[in-house]
Amino acid sequence: MGNTCTDRVALITGASRGGTGTVSAIRLAAEGARVAIVARSIDGLQRSAEEIEGFGGTVLVLPPCDLSDPAGGRDQLVAQVEGELGPIDILVNNAAVNGFQPFDEWSYADIQHRLELNLIAPWLLMQQVVPGMRARGRGWVVNLTTFCAENPPGPPYPTNKPSKAGAAYGASKAALNRLTLSVASECEGTGVAVNALSPQAAIATPDLVEGGWIKGALFEPLETMAEAVLALATADPNTLTGRIAYSLQLLVELERPVRDLHGDRLIDGWQPADLPTIIGNQATTLEADFSWQDPFTFRRASSPDFAG
């Protein structure tokens, strides 16, 4: 375990299901952060808390909160955390809802639900924490985003779900990306870094592994996402802010070793020297199977393309 987050307080949303939120909380706590975790149900949060407390970390399990509901408790989260742990230094907006179907099949209620959770909740939480961060001269915001927010190249367009059925999820996360850049711009020079982070491919969460969905090239382990979150949550705000980053590309760019969630050992096969080949294989698969050309070459500020 390390100490890069010692004396810092972190709030992580959506930390109950063993995915990015859970592992981000564990990784930040292993680096010394006092972490607050929240989700709609408390069962998974308790499991996360037990692991953190098991290695001597400090964790606050917040009462269940539906971030998609304006009356679900999201306006009280920051005050609760700061009352228990102190001012928030790190905010990880991870809670989200996806879903794929043609744009004309979405109900108004389902569209609104995605906008509330994927865009409005992160916006409101940033409104609550960023002023204090700026006043103290330090802070880090990490907004979790997705490849579905990218513009499908075409015509002809790719054949996979992000292109053909990703309107609701993709539009909400594209708006989050734009919001991220706006907040980063407004925080420039204040000591506050604001970035968005997308997995390079499907994350090997417990649910996906148990369902048999993790196969072939289009996956990455939880540890790479946790390491990328930690990298952005400890970045120099003067040099790394306003980025729509991709996990594996970011780790290559920063030449950052990928460690286990406790920070004790390196993850075999997923180190910076290994990643360009992995990214290249992912790109080749997206091109061959779904006709998504140059999938990791973005026409905007991004991590360099290491796919070769």
Side-chain angles (χ1 to χ4, degrees), residues 26-77:
I26 295 169
R27 190 74 182 91
L28 291 172
E31 290 292 321
R34 302 190 301 278
V35 301
I37 52 178
V38 66
R40 288 180 301 168
S41 65
I42 201 167
D43 293 343
L45 295 180
Q46 293 289 10
R47 290 191 294 271
S48 303
E50 289 170 5
E51 179 164 354
I52 291 170
E53 291 170 344
F55 58 72
T58 300
V59 57
L60 171 65
V61 176
L62 293 163
C65 175
D66 184 353
L67 287 165
S68 71
D69 183 355
R74 66 193 185 189
D75 292 338
Q76 290 77 50
L77 285 181

mmCIF file of all heavy atoms in Angstrom, residues 26-77:
data_model
loop_
_atom_site.group_PDB
_atom_site.id
_atom_site.type_symbol
_atom_site.label_atom_id
_atom_site.label_comp_id
_atom_site.label_asym_id
_atom_site.label_seq_id
_atom_site.Cartn_x
_atom_site.Cartn_y
_atom_site.Cartn_z
ATOM 1 N N ILE A 26 -11.501 1.081 -3.079
ATOM 2 C CA ILE A 26 -10.469 0.259 -2.441
ATOM 3 C C ILE A 26 -9.079 0.783 -2.767
ATOM 4 O O ILE A 26 -8.223 0.917 -1.882
ATOM 5 C CB ILE A 26 -10.616 -1.214 -2.887
ATOM 6 C CG1 ILE A 26 -11.942 -1.785 -2.381
ATOM 7 C CG2 ILE A 26 -9.440 -2.055 -2.397
ATOM 8 C CD1 ILE A 26 -12.309 -3.128 -2.990
ATOM 9 N N ARG A 27 -8.845 1.115 -4.036
ATOM 10 C CA ARG A 27 -7.508 1.575 -4.446
ATOM 11 C C ARG A 27 -7.157 2.911 -3.796
ATOM 12 O O ARG A 27 -6.020 3.109 -3.345
ATOM 13 C CB ARG A 27 -7.469 1.701 -5.977
ATOM 14 C CG ARG A 27 -6.065 1.942 -6.535
ATOM 15 C CD ARG A 27 -5.231 0.692 -6.471
ATOM 16 N NE ARG A 27 -3.864 0.917 -6.960
ATOM 17 C CZ ARG A 27 -2.840 1.283 -6.180
ATOM 18 N NH1 ARG A 27 -3.033 1.464 -4.881
ATOM 19 N NH2 ARG A 27 -1.627 1.453 -6.692
ATOM 20 N N LEU A 28 -8.113 3.838 -3.740
ATOM 21 C CA LEU A 28 -7.843 5.127 -3.099
ATOM 22 C C LEU A 28 -7.619 4.954 -1.603
ATOM 23 O O LEU A 28 -6.733 5.587 -1.018
ATOM 24 C CB LEU A 28 -9.000 6.086 -3.355
ATOM 25 C CG LEU A 28 -9.179 6.571 -4.797
ATOM 26 C CD1 LEU A 28 -10.481 7.355 -4.938
ATOM 27 C CD2 LEU A 28 -8.008 7.428 -5.247
ATOM 28 N N ALA A 29 -8.419 4.087 -0.969
ATOM 29 C CA ALA A 29 -8.233 3.841 0.464
ATOM 30 C C ALA A 29 -6.879 3.205 0.743
ATOM 31 O O ALA A 29 -6.225 3.513 1.747
ATOM 32 C CB ALA A 29 -9.351 2.947 0.987
ATOM 33 N N ALA A 30 -6.439 2.313 -0.152
ATOM 34 C CA ALA A 30 -5.131 1.678 0.027
ATOM 35 C C ALA A 30 -3.998 2.687 -0.079
ATOM 36 O O ALA A 30 -2.901 2.436 0.426
ATOM 37 C CB ALA A 30 -4.938 0.572 -1.003
ATOM 38 N N GLU A 31 -4.267 3.824 -0.727
ATOM 39 C CA GLU A 31 -3.270 4.894 -0.825
ATOM 40 C C GLU A 31 -3.448 5.941 0.265
ATOM 41 O O GLU A 31 -2.828 7.010 0.201
ATOM 42 C CB GLU A 31 -3.347 5.546 -2.201
ATOM 43 C CG GLU A 31 -2.852 4.666 -3.334
ATOM 44 C CD GLU A 31 -1.352 4.404 -3.271
ATOM 45 O OE1 GLU A 31 -0.596 5.339 -2.925
ATOM 46 O OE2 GLU A 31 -0.938 3.267 -3.566
ATOM 47 N N GLY A 32 -4.316 5.656 1.234
ATOM 48 C CA GLY A 32 -4.418 6.510 2.408
ATOM 49 C C GLY A 32 -5.604 7.433 2.458
ATOM 50 O O GLY A 32 -5.775 8.173 3.446
ATOM 51 N N ALA A 33 -6.451 7.440 1.423
ATOM 52 C CA ALA A 33 -7.614 8.322 1.434
ATOM 53 C C ALA A 33 -8.660 7.818 2.430
ATOM 54 O O ALA A 33 -8.813 6.617 2.643
ATOM 55 C CB ALA A 33 -8.228 8.414 0.047
ATOM 56 N N ARG A 34 -9.370 8.753 3.022
ATOM 57 C CA ARG A 34 -10.577 8.427 3.780
ATOM 58 C C ARG A 34 -11.721 8.489 2.780
ATOM 59 O O ARG A 34 -12.027 9.555 2.228
ATOM 60 C CB ARG A 34 -10.791 9.436 4.923
ATOM 61 C CG ARG A 34 -9.610 9.487 5.880
ATOM 62 C CD ARG A 34 -9.905 10.301 7.137
ATOM 63 N NE ARG A 34 -10.257 11.682 6.860
ATOM 64 C CZ ARG A 34 -9.386 12.665 6.627
ATOM 65 N NH1 ARG A 34 -8.076 12.405 6.613
ATOM 66 N NH2 ARG A 34 -9.790 13.900 6.400
ATOM 67 N N VAL A 35 -12.362 7.356 2.537
ATOM 68 C CA VAL A 35 -13.314 7.277 1.433
ATOM 69 C C VAL A 35 -14.746 7.167 1.947
ATOM 70 O O VAL A 35 -15.024 6.482 2.942
ATOM 71 C CB VAL A 35 -12.999 6.095 0.482
ATOM 72 C CG1 VAL A 35 -11.600 6.244 -0.104
ATOM 73 C CG2 VAL A 35 -13.131 4.761 1.186
ATOM 74 N N ALA A 36 -15.642 7.849 1.248
ATOM 75 C CA ALA A 36 -17.075 7.723 1.467
ATOM 76 C C ALA A 36 -17.672 7.077 0.230
ATOM 77 O O ALA A 36 -17.357 7.476 -0.897
ATOM 78 C CB ALA A 36 -17.708 9.084 1.713
ATOM 79 N N ILE A 37 -18.516 6.082 0.428
ATOM 80 C CA ILE A 37 -19.086 5.351 -0.698
ATOM 81 C C ILE A 37 -20.609 5.370 -0.604
ATOM 82 O O ILE A 37 -21.183 5.331 0.488
ATOM 83 C CB ILE A 37 -18.570 3.894 -0.748
ATOM 84 C CG1 ILE A 37 -18.754 3.177 0.592
ATOM 85 C CG2 ILE A 37 -17.097 3.888 -1.165
ATOM 86 C CD1 ILE A 37 -18.297 1.723 0.586
ATOM 87 N N VAL A 38 -21.239 5.429 -1.780
ATOM 88 C CA VAL A 38 -22.687 5.535 -1.808
ATOM 89 C C VAL A 38 -23.230 4.779 -3.008
ATOM 90 O O VAL A 38 -22.561 4.652 -4.042
ATOM 91 C CB VAL A 38 -23.140 7.010 -1.856
ATOM 92 C CG1 VAL A 38 -22.737 7.674 -3.164
ATOM 93 C CG2 VAL A 38 -24.637 7.155 -1.617
ATOM 94 N N ALA A 39 -24.445 4.258 -2.873
ATOM 95 C CA ALA A 39 -25.152 3.564 -3.955
ATOM 96 C C ALA A 39 -26.615 3.462 -3.549
ATOM 97 O O ALA A 39 -27.018 3.939 -2.480
ATOM 98 C CB ALA A 39 -24.552 2.184 -4.218
ATOM 99 N N ARG A 40 -27.415 2.825 -4.410
ATOM 100 C CA ARG A 40 -28.837 2.684 -4.103
ATOM 101 C C ARG A 40 -29.098 1.636 -3.026
ATOM 102 O O ARG A 40 -30.108 1.691 -2.333
ATOM 103 C CB ARG A 40 -29.613 2.317 -5.365
ATOM 104 C CG ARG A 40 -29.760 3.441 -6.357
ATOM 105 C CD ARG A 40 -30.546 2.984 -7.563
ATOM 106 N NE ARG A 40 -29.889 1.864 -8.218
ATOM 107 C CZ ARG A 40 -30.452 1.106 -9.158
ATOM 108 N NH1 ARG A 40 -31.717 1.345 -9.518
ATOM 109 N NH2 ARG A 40 -29.793 0.126 -9.726
ATOM 110 N N SER A 41 -28.216 0.639 -2.919
ATOM 111 C CA SER A 41 -28.390 -0.415 -1.917
ATOM 112 C C SER A 41 -27.169 -0.454 -1.016
ATOM 113 O O SER A 41 -26.063 -0.080 -1.431
ATOM 114 C CB SER A 41 -28.587 -1.776 -2.581
ATOM 115 O OG SER A 41 -27.416 -2.153 -3.290
ATOM 116 N N ILE A 42 -27.371 -0.931 0.189
ATOM 117 C CA ILE A 42 -26.286 -0.902 1.158
ATOM 118 C C ILE A 42 -25.503 -2.211 1.210
ATOM 119 O O ILE A 42 -24.367 -2.237 1.706
ATOM 120 C CB ILE A 42 -26.837 -0.548 2.554
ATOM 121 C CG1 ILE A 42 -25.721 -0.009 3.453
ATOM 122 C CG2 ILE A 42 -27.549 -1.741 3.169
ATOM 123 C CD1 ILE A 42 -26.219 0.648 4.712
ATOM 124 N N ASP A 43 -26.051 -3.303 0.688
ATOM 125 C CA ASP A 43 -25.401 -4.606 0.829
ATOM 126 C C ASP A 43 -24.009 -4.616 0.220
ATOM 127 O O ASP A 43 -23.029 -4.996 0.863
ATOM 128 C CB ASP A 43 -26.258 -5.703 0.195
ATOM 129 C CG ASP A 43 -27.561 -5.931 0.939
ATOM 130 O OD1 ASP A 43 -27.647 -5.477 2.097
ATOM 131 O OD2 ASP A 43 -28.473 -6.542 0.369
ATOM 132 N N GLY A 44 -23.915 -4.209 -1.039
ATOM 133 C CA GLY A 44 -22.613 -4.195 -1.692
ATOM 134 C C GLY A 44 -21.662 -3.209 -1.053
ATOM 135 O O GLY A 44 -20.447 -3.436 -0.999
ATOM 136 N N LEU A 45 -22.184 -2.105 -0.561
ATOM 137 C CA LEU A 45 -21.334 -1.118 0.109
ATOM 138 C C LEU A 45 -20.699 -1.717 1.358
ATOM 139 O O LEU A 45 -19.525 -1.456 1.656
ATOM 140 C CB LEU A 45 -22.158 0.117 0.488
ATOM 141 C CG LEU A 45 -22.740 0.947 -0.657
ATOM 142 C CD1 LEU A 45 -23.526 2.134 -0.091
ATOM 143 C CD2 LEU A 45 -21.641 1.444 -1.590
ATOM 144 N N GLN A 46 -21.443 -2.513 2.079
ATOM 145 C CA GLN A 46 -20.895 -3.130 3.286
ATOM 146 C C GLN A 46 -19.744 -4.065 2.945
ATOM 147 O O GLN A 46 -18.743 -4.126 3.667
ATOM 148 C CB GLN A 46 -22.002 -3.878 4.043
ATOM 149 C CG GLN A 46 -23.077 -2.984 4.634
ATOM 150 C CD GLN A 46 -22.593 -2.167 5.824
ATOM 151 O OE1 GLN A 46 -21.409 -2.111 6.135
ATOM 152 N NE2 GLN A 46 -23.526 -1.499 6.495
ATOM 153 N N ARG A 47 -19.876 -4.807 1.843
ATOM 154 C CA ARG A 47 -18.780 -5.687 1.435
ATOM 155 C C ARG A 47 -17.539 -4.877 1.077
ATOM 156 O O ARG A 47 -16.413 -5.254 1.426
ATOM 157 C CB ARG A 47 -19.217 -6.564 0.262
ATOM 158 C CG ARG A 47 -20.242 -7.633 0.629
ATOM 159 C CD ARG A 47 -20.438 -8.632 -0.496
ATOM 160 N NE ARG A 47 -21.039 -8.017 -1.672
ATOM 161 C CZ ARG A 47 -22.357 -7.926 -1.862
ATOM 162 N NH1 ARG A 47 -23.199 -8.393 -0.954
ATOM 163 N NH2 ARG A 47 -22.831 -7.370 -2.965
ATOM 164 N N SER A 48 -17.739 -3.771 0.373
ATOM 165 C CA SER A 48 -16.610 -2.897 0.044
ATOM 166 C C SER A 48 -15.971 -2.357 1.314
ATOM 167 O O SER A 48 -14.738 -2.311 1.438
ATOM 168 C CB SER A 48 -17.069 -1.743 -0.838
ATOM 169 O OG SER A 48 -17.683 -2.199 -2.029
ATOM 170 N N ALA A 49 -16.816 -1.939 2.258
ATOM 171 C CA ALA A 49 -16.308 -1.376 3.506
ATOM 172 C C ALA A 49 -15.509 -2.407 4.291
ATOM 173 O O ALA A 49 -14.454 -2.089 4.881
ATOM 174 C CB ALA A 49 -17.465 -0.845 4.343
ATOM 175 N N GLU A 50 -15.982 -3.640 4.315
ATOM 176 C CA GLU A 50 -15.262 -4.687 5.051
ATOM 177 C C GLU A 50 -13.870 -4.905 4.485
ATOM 178 O O GLU A 50 -12.910 -5.107 5.246
ATOM 179 C CB GLU A 50 -16.075 -5.980 5.009
ATOM 180 C CG GLU A 50 -17.336 -5.931 5.856
ATOM 181 C CD GLU A 50 -18.242 -7.120 5.624
ATOM 182 O OE1 GLU A 50 -17.831 -8.031 4.861
ATOM 183 O OE2 GLU A 50 -19.356 -7.154 6.193
ATOM 184 N N GLU A 51 -13.744 -4.877 3.148
ATOM 185 C CA GLU A 51 -12.407 -5.060 2.574
ATOM 186 C C GLU A 51 -11.503 -3.896 2.935
ATOM 187 O O GLU A 51 -10.332 -4.086 3.272
ATOM 188 C CB GLU A 51 -12.491 -5.213 1.057
ATOM 189 C CG GLU A 51 -11.114 -5.384 0.419
ATOM 190 C CD GLU A 51 -11.151 -5.912 -1.000
ATOM 191 O OE1 GLU A 51 -12.247 -6.262 -1.471
ATOM 192 O OE2 GLU A 51 -10.072 -5.969 -1.625
ATOM 193 N N ILE A 52 -12.025 -2.681 2.861
ATOM 194 C CA ILE A 52 -11.209 -1.504 3.188
ATOM 195 C C ILE A 52 -10.794 -1.525 4.658
ATOM 196 O O ILE A 52 -9.625 -1.285 4.994
ATOM 197 C CB ILE A 52 -11.985 -0.220 2.844
ATOM 198 C CG1 ILE A 52 -12.130 -0.094 1.326
ATOM 199 C CG2 ILE A 52 -11.293 1.010 3.426
ATOM 200 C CD1 ILE A 52 -13.075 0.994 0.874
ATOM 201 N N GLU A 53 -11.730 -1.816 5.528
ATOM 202 C CA GLU A 53 -11.407 -1.861 6.952
ATOM 203 C C GLU A 53 -10.448 -3.005 7.259
ATOM 204 O O GLU A 53 -9.653 -2.924 8.204
ATOM 205 C CB GLU A 53 -12.686 -2.002 7.758
ATOM 206 C CG GLU A 53 -13.555 -0.748 7.722
ATOM 207 C CD GLU A 53 -14.939 -0.957 8.315
ATOM 208 O OE1 GLU A 53 -15.352 -2.136 8.483
ATOM 209 O OE2 GLU A 53 -15.592 0.048 8.604
ATOM 210 N N GLY A 54 -10.486 -4.059 6.425
ATOM 211 C CA GLY A 54 -9.606 -5.199 6.635
ATOM 212 C C GLY A 54 -8.134 -4.858 6.517
ATOM 213 O O GLY A 54 -7.292 -5.518 7.145
ATOM 214 N N PHE A 55 -7.784 -3.865 5.695
ATOM 215 C CA PHE A 55 -6.375 -3.476 5.618
ATOM 216 C C PHE A 55 -6.111 -2.161 6.360
ATOM 217 O O PHE A 55 -5.075 -1.531 6.177
ATOM 218 C CB PHE A 55 -5.865 -3.405 4.171
ATOM 219 C CG PHE A 55 -6.602 -2.461 3.256
ATOM 220 C CD1 PHE A 55 -6.461 -1.085 3.381
ATOM 221 C CD2 PHE A 55 -7.410 -2.955 2.248
ATOM 222 C CE1 PHE A 55 -7.114 -0.223 2.517
ATOM 223 C CE2 PHE A 55 -8.077 -2.101 1.379
ATOM 224 C CZ PHE A 55 -7.920 -0.727 1.513
ATOM 225 N N GLY A 56 -7.043 -1.770 7.225
ATOM 226 C CA GLY A 56 -6.817 -0.604 8.072
ATOM 227 C C GLY A 56 -7.240 0.717 7.459
ATOM 228 O O GLY A 56 -6.913 1.779 7.999
ATOM 229 N N GLY A 57 -7.979 0.662 6.371
ATOM 230 C CA GLY A 57 -8.434 1.887 5.732
ATOM 231 C C GLY A 57 -9.637 2.493 6.432
ATOM 232 O O GLY A 57 -10.296 1.856 7.250
ATOM 233 N N THR A 58 -9.897 3.747 6.102
ATOM 234 C CA THR A 58 -11.034 4.476 6.668
ATOM 235 C C THR A 58 -12.114 4.612 5.619
ATOM 236 O O THR A 58 -11.868 5.098 4.509
ATOM 237 C CB THR A 58 -10.600 5.877 7.139
ATOM 238 O OG1 THR A 58 -9.589 5.752 8.148
ATOM 239 C CG2 THR A 58 -11.781 6.651 7.709
ATOM 240 N N VAL A 59 -13.341 4.186 5.965
ATOM 241 C CA VAL A 59 -14.431 4.208 5.002
ATOM 242 C C VAL A 59 -15.717 4.615 5.698
ATOM 243 O O VAL A 59 -15.975 4.226 6.841
ATOM 244 C CB VAL A 59 -14.601 2.831 4.312
ATOM 245 C CG1 VAL A 59 -14.836 1.730 5.319
ATOM 246 C CG2 VAL A 59 -15.706 2.878 3.265
ATOM 247 N N LEU A 60 -16.502 5.425 5.019
ATOM 248 C CA LEU A 60 -17.809 5.839 5.488
ATOM 249 C C LEU A 60 -18.847 5.308 4.518
ATOM 250 O O LEU A 60 -18.828 5.658 3.331
ATOM 251 C CB LEU A 60 -17.894 7.369 5.565
ATOM 252 C CG LEU A 60 -19.280 7.972 5.839
ATOM 253 C CD1 LEU A 60 -19.771 7.580 7.228
ATOM 254 C CD2 LEU A 60 -19.238 9.496 5.687
ATOM 255 N N VAL A 61 -19.741 4.458 4.991
ATOM 256 C CA VAL A 61 -20.845 3.955 4.178
ATOM 257 C C VAL A 61 -22.024 4.904 4.355
ATOM 258 O O VAL A 61 -22.586 5.018 5.450
ATOM 259 C CB VAL A 61 -21.238 2.530 4.586
ATOM 260 C CG1 VAL A 61 -22.448 2.059 3.791
ATOM 261 C CG2 VAL A 61 -20.063 1.578 4.373
ATOM 262 N N LEU A 62 -22.379 5.584 3.281
ATOM 263 C CA LEU A 62 -23.482 6.523 3.332
ATOM 264 C C LEU A 62 -24.820 5.799 3.205
ATOM 265 O O LEU A 62 -24.889 4.703 2.636
ATOM 266 C CB LEU A 62 -23.337 7.551 2.220
ATOM 267 C CG LEU A 62 -22.137 8.494 2.374
ATOM 268 C CD1 LEU A 62 -21.830 9.186 1.062
ATOM 269 C CD2 LEU A 62 -22.403 9.517 3.470
ATOM 270 N N PRO A 63 -25.894 6.376 3.726
ATOM 271 C CA PRO A 63 -27.206 5.756 3.563
ATOM 272 C C PRO A 63 -27.543 5.588 2.086
ATOM 273 O O PRO A 63 -27.061 6.350 1.241
ATOM 274 C CB PRO A 63 -28.153 6.762 4.237
ATOM 275 C CG PRO A 63 -27.295 7.543 5.162
ATOM 276 C CD PRO A 63 -25.949 7.624 4.511
ATOM 277 N N PRO A 64 -28.349 4.592 1.729
ATOM 278 C CA PRO A 64 -28.717 4.391 0.331
ATOM 279 C C PRO A 64 -29.256 5.682 -0.288
ATOM 280 O O PRO A 64 -30.007 6.423 0.347
ATOM 281 C CB PRO A 64 -29.792 3.306 0.409
ATOM 282 C CG PRO A 64 -29.476 2.560 1.659
ATOM 283 C CD PRO A 64 -28.960 3.587 2.615
ATOM 284 N N CYS A 65 -28.861 5.917 -1.524
ATOM 285 C CA CYS A 65 -29.240 7.154 -2.212
ATOM 286 C C CYS A 65 -29.465 6.850 -3.682
ATOM 287 O O CYS A 65 -28.605 6.240 -4.329
ATOM 288 C CB CYS A 65 -28.132 8.204 -2.054
ATOM 289 S SG CYS A 65 -28.410 9.721 -2.986
ATOM 290 N N ASP A 66 -30.609 7.272 -4.207
ATOM 291 C CA ASP A 66 -30.894 7.147 -5.628
ATOM 292 C C ASP A 66 -30.507 8.460 -6.293
ATOM 293 O O ASP A 66 -31.248 9.443 -6.237
ATOM 294 C CB ASP A 66 -32.374 6.837 -5.848
ATOM 295 C CG ASP A 66 -32.707 6.601 -7.317
ATOM 296 O OD1 ASP A 66 -31.818 6.801 -8.180
ATOM 297 O OD2 ASP A 66 -33.858 6.230 -7.608
ATOM 298 N N LEU A 67 -29.351 8.473 -6.922
ATOM 299 C CA LEU A 67 -28.839 9.705 -7.525
ATOM 300 C C LEU A 67 -29.660 10.163 -8.715
ATOM 301 O O LEU A 67 -29.536 11.312 -9.142
ATOM 302 C CB LEU A 67 -27.385 9.500 -7.956
ATOM 303 C CG LEU A 67 -26.377 9.439 -6.813
ATOM 304 C CD1 LEU A 67 -25.055 8.876 -7.313
ATOM 305 C CD2 LEU A 67 -26.173 10.797 -6.186
ATOM 306 N N SER A 68 -30.494 9.290 -9.259
ATOM 307 C CA SER A 68 -31.328 9.679 -10.391
ATOM 308 C C SER A 68 -32.595 10.406 -9.958
ATOM 309 O O SER A 68 -33.311 10.963 -10.791
ATOM 310 C CB SER A 68 -31.720 8.448 -11.220
ATOM 311 O OG SER A 68 -32.648 7.636 -10.512
ATOM 312 N N ASP A 69 -32.865 10.404 -8.667
ATOM 313 C CA ASP A 69 -34.099 10.985 -8.130
ATOM 314 C C ASP A 69 -33.787 12.316 -7.471
ATOM 315 O O ASP A 69 -33.028 12.364 -6.488
ATOM 316 C CB ASP A 69 -34.706 10.010 -7.116
ATOM 317 C CG ASP A 69 -36.027 10.500 -6.547
ATOM 318 O OD1 ASP A 69 -36.448 11.634 -6.862
ATOM 319 O OD2 ASP A 69 -36.634 9.749 -5.762
ATOM 320 N N PRO A 70 -34.359 13.422 -7.958
ATOM 321 C CA PRO A 70 -34.093 14.706 -7.322
ATOM 322 C C PRO A 70 -34.429 14.725 -5.829
ATOM 323 O O PRO A 70 -33.842 15.515 -5.073
ATOM 324 C CB PRO A 70 -34.999 15.670 -8.099
ATOM 325 C CG PRO A 70 -35.153 15.034 -9.447
ATOM 326 C CD PRO A 70 -35.194 13.559 -9.173
ATOM 327 N N ALA A 71 -35.337 13.861 -5.417
ATOM 328 C CA ALA A 71 -35.705 13.784 -4.003
ATOM 329 C C ALA A 71 -35.071 12.575 -3.312
ATOM 330 O O ALA A 71 -35.465 12.211 -2.197
ATOM 331 C CB ALA A 71 -37.223 13.710 -3.857
ATOM 332 N N GLY A 72 -34.077 11.960 -3.946
ATOM 333 C CA GLY A 72 -33.507 10.721 -3.431
ATOM 334 C C GLY A 72 -32.343 10.880 -2.488
ATOM 335 O O GLY A 72 -31.727 9.885 -2.092
ATOM 336 N N GLY A 73 -31.986 12.110 -2.121
ATOM 337 C CA GLY A 73 -30.914 12.319 -1.151
ATOM 338 C C GLY A 73 -29.619 12.849 -1.711
ATOM 339 O O GLY A 73 -28.664 13.062 -0.956
ATOM 340 N N ARG A 74 -29.543 13.091 -3.022
ATOM 341 C CA ARG A 74 -28.263 13.497 -3.601
ATOM 342 C C ARG A 74 -27.822 14.887 -3.152
ATOM 343 O O ARG A 74 -26.626 15.188 -3.147
ATOM 344 C CB ARG A 74 -28.327 13.421 -5.125
ATOM 345 C CG ARG A 74 -29.286 14.392 -5.780
ATOM 346 C CD ARG A 74 -29.518 14.041 -7.252
ATOM 347 N NE ARG A 74 -30.345 15.037 -7.931
ATOM 348 C CZ ARG A 74 -30.841 14.899 -9.157
ATOM 349 N NH1 ARG A 74 -30.596 13.777 -9.834
ATOM 350 N NH2 ARG A 74 -31.568 15.848 -9.704
ATOM 351 N N ASP A 75 -28.757 15.737 -2.752
ATOM 352 C CA ASP A 75 -28.386 17.083 -2.325
ATOM 353 C C ASP A 75 -27.757 17.107 -0.938
ATOM 354 O O ASP A 75 -27.179 18.128 -0.548
ATOM 355 C CB ASP A 75 -29.622 17.994 -2.340
ATOM 356 C CG ASP A 75 -30.130 18.259 -3.743
ATOM 357 O OD1 ASP A 75 -29.330 18.117 -4.694
ATOM 358 O OD2 ASP A 75 -31.325 18.579 -3.893
ATOM 359 N N GLN A 76 -27.875 16.015 -0.192
ATOM 360 C CA GLN A 76 -27.305 15.972 1.159
ATOM 361 C C GLN A 76 -25.980 15.219 1.246
ATOM 362 O O GLN A 76 -25.337 15.200 2.282
ATOM 363 C CB GLN A 76 -28.298 15.301 2.119
ATOM 364 C CG GLN A 76 -29.543 16.114 2.430
ATOM 365 C CD GLN A 76 -30.568 16.096 1.311
ATOM 366 O OE1 GLN A 76 -30.912 15.022 0.818
ATOM 367 N NE2 GLN A 76 -31.058 17.256 0.918
ATOM 368 N N LEU A 77 -25.551 14.588 0.144
ATOM 369 C CA LEU A 77 -24.375 13.713 0.205
ATOM 370 C C LEU A 77 -23.119 14.447 0.642
ATOM 371 O O LEU A 77 -22.392 13.993 1.531
ATOM 372 C CB LEU A 77 -24.129 13.068 -1.169
ATOM 373 C CG LEU A 77 -25.052 11.936 -1.588
ATOM 374 C CD1 LEU A 77 -24.642 11.427 -2.954
ATOM 375 C CD2 LEU A 77 -25.031 10.818 -0.566
#
